[in-house]
Amino acid sequence: MSAEPEPARIAPLPASQWDERLSRLLSASPGGSEEPMHIFTTLAHQPDLFRRWLGFGGALLDGHLPGRLRELVILRTAARFNGRYEWAHHLDLGGAQGITPAELEALGASLSTVEWDPFERAALAAVDETADDGAVSDVTWSALADHLDSGDLIELLMLIGHYLMLSTVLRSLRVPLEPSAQARADDVAGGPTG
């Protein structure tokens, strides 16, 4: 069980302040309007930026990278940059892409507890090198370039950068996890705490 979170710095918008776009988005999201996703109801305080961010984030979630690879990268980025909100919300998305419970635990702790496919290991190394050194090494780049074209390499780097950004923004705003997401995160050993 995780510690009691600090209060949000900007409270999620109450339902009485949702516009039509936000209401539609929440209706189609996990939890619907009964347990609205706080990422959306918080970032909607800045509606123009929120709308543009949705397009960018959606493009990454529906990009060219294989779904399993995308979710591995998102989960590892969330783990390395202490993004508990994104971690919690991508656990089931990762499971739907074939990430096993043992792999989920390894993503949140030590990658060495699982034998990774070399290409997936290179993508995870790209996350770790970004966290440790601020850039992907030549060795990792070469391994990735054996499998990805130039456009997909850019997409992979943008995916890492996007979830690094989200992790830090949501942590600074203290966006609270919804109860169901909190329970899901508590079910997986390891992972970010913040």
Side-chain angles (χ1 to χ4, degrees):
M1 192 72 165
S2 60
E4 188 66 30
E6 296 182 81
R9 286 184 163 150
I10 298 175
L13 287 172
S16 62
Q17 295 180 27
W18 298 350
D19 64 16
E20 183 179 330
R21 175 183 287 126
L22 181 57
S23 294
R24 279 195 317 267
L25 174 65
L26 292 170
S27 293
S29 300
S33 58
E34 295 300 311
E35 188 182 62
M37 293 182 70
H38 294 148
I39 185 174
F40 297 144
T41 56
T42 300
L43 297 181
H45 279 279
Q46 212 310 349
D48 292 336
L49 186 58
F50 177 57
R51 180 176 46 82
R52 289 177 175 97
W53 168 76
L54 283 172
F56 179 70
L60 287 171
L61 289 176
D62 193 30
H64 294 110
L65 297 175
R68 176 180 160 87
L69 184 73
R70 179 193 67 236
E71 293 303 322
L72 287 170
V73 167
I74 291 170
L75 286 162
R76 185 61 177 175
T77 302
R80 288 303 311 269
F81 291 97
N82 202 21
R84 187 158 176 85
Y85 191 95
E86 291 304 319
W87 171 263
H89 280 282
H90 281 269
L91 289 169
D92 287 340
L93 295 172
Q97 294 296 329
I99 301 173
T100 68
E103 289 171 332
L104 289 173
E105 288 186 19
L107 289 166
S110 174
L111 292 178
S112 64
T113 60
V114 168
E115 177 111 7
W116 299 99
D117 168 89
F119 171 49
E120 291 178 345
R121 184 62 188 97
L124 296 171
V127 175
D128 287 350
E129 291 167 2
T130 300
D132 295 338
D133 305 321
V136 176
S137 71
D138 288 339
V139 170
T140 298
W141 184 264
S142 179
L144 291 169
D146 286 343
H147 298 275
L148 300 174
D149 65 22
S150 296
D152 291 342
L153 287 163
I154 292 169
E155 183 177 327
L156 177 68
L157 296 176
M158 295 292 273
L159 187 67
I160 295 167
H162 180 249
Y163 281 88
L164 180 164
M165 177 200 73
L166 275 181
S167 294
T168 58
V169 167
L170 298 180
R171 200 170 59 249
S172 290
L173 290 171
R174 297 182 187 151
V175 173
L177 270 171
E178 305 79 20
S180 63
Q182 181 67 55
R184 180 64 177 112
D186 288 343
D187 283 344
V188 177
T193 59

